[in-house]
Amino acid sequence: MSVELIPIVREDVETVWKMQVEAFTGLLERYQDYDISPAAEGMEKVMARFEQPWTTYFFIMANDEKVGVVRVVDKKDGSRKRISPIWIMPEHRNKGYAQQAMIEAERIYGEDNWCLDTILQEKGNCYLYEKLGYHQTGKVDKISECMDIVYYEKD
């Protein structure tokens, strides 16, 4: 099982947005985080990110199928590279695709000097990032009574 990262072009942004809404709807329903959830974003916000010179979105491809998306932020100024967001479509989860996509992103951009954040209560996400060598920075933002954002780095 291997994945391939295919750079997204402008014509794909609507597809990316629709995939993002579908992929994050379950979390939005669970945490009711309408202000920050990717599922609650409009397409214009995804387009604005796509147009940033330091952003590259990739389709995560497995068996010639779009199984997810990852956005890599690399300002090429010595600051940390960032994964924000990454998602796997519900029907393709728990098959190792996110792990393989992150390994491939690190192969392309370099293995060190990364950061990301996730929902602390989503133990599967935390486990994945820690398995890949990310460590918690100690910074945690309380979003609500049931949701915290935890920050990770990889050196």
Side-chain angles (χ1 to χ4, degrees):
M1 183 266 319
S2 66
V3 302
E4 185 178 5
L5 299 184
I6 304 294
I8 288 167
V9 296
R10 174 178 295 280
E11 294 74 31
D12 294 325
V13 171
E14 184 174 0
T15 299
V16 169
W17 170 67
K18 288 177 180 176
M19 290 174 72
Q20 174 178 297
V21 169
E22 180 182 342
F24 285 97
T25 292
L27 292 175
L28 177 61
E29 290 170 354
R30 183 174 312 138
Y31 296 106
Q32 303 290 305
D33 57 328
Y34 291 93
D35 292 340
I36 64 170
S37 173
E41 289 181 352
M43 192 177 94
E44 65 283 347
K45 193 158 187 179
V46 176
M47 180 60 80
R49 277 196 212 99
F50 172 82
E51 291 177 338
Q52 294 171 333
W54 51 81
T55 285
T56 305
Y57 278 95
F58 295 92
F59 283 121
I60 302 168
M61 303 293 293
N63 304 315
D64 295 319
E65 192 173 355
K66 295 174 180 125
V67 299
V69 172
V70 61
R71 173 181 171 240
V72 175
V73 176
D74 183 5
K75 294 189 176 181
K76 297 180 181 8
D77 63 359
S79 63
R80 289 191 181 274
K81 297 165 289 230
R82 179 172 174 75
I83 292 176
S84 177
I86 182 171
W87 71 83
I88 302 298
M89 300 308 292
E91 64 272 22
H92 297 290
R93 291 181 184 158
N94 301 310
K95 297 178 182 173
Y97 295 142
Q99 178 177 338
Q100 290 301 312
M102 290 179 68
I103 290 168
E104 182 64 9
E106 290 176 0
R107 188 190 65 72
I108 294 167
Y109 288 91
E111 293 181 15
D112 59 348
N113 205 30
W114 286 89
C115 66
L116 54 81
D117 58 73
T118 194
I119 300 170
L120 179 62
Q121 290 75 11
E122 293 299 314
K123 298 304 180 196
N125 291 356
C126 296
Y127 175 78
L128 168 65
Y129 302 141
E130 290 167 13
K131 183 167 73 168
L132 288 168
Y134 287 78
H135 61 274
Q136 292 186 20
T137 65
K139 180 181 177 187
V140 178
D141 290 337
K142 185 164 201 62
I143 304 302
S144 68
E145 288 305 311
C146 63
M147 179 183 174
D148 302 285
I149 299 295
V150 62
Y151 295 82
Y152 281 90
E153 290 181 347
K154 181 176 183 177
D155 294 316

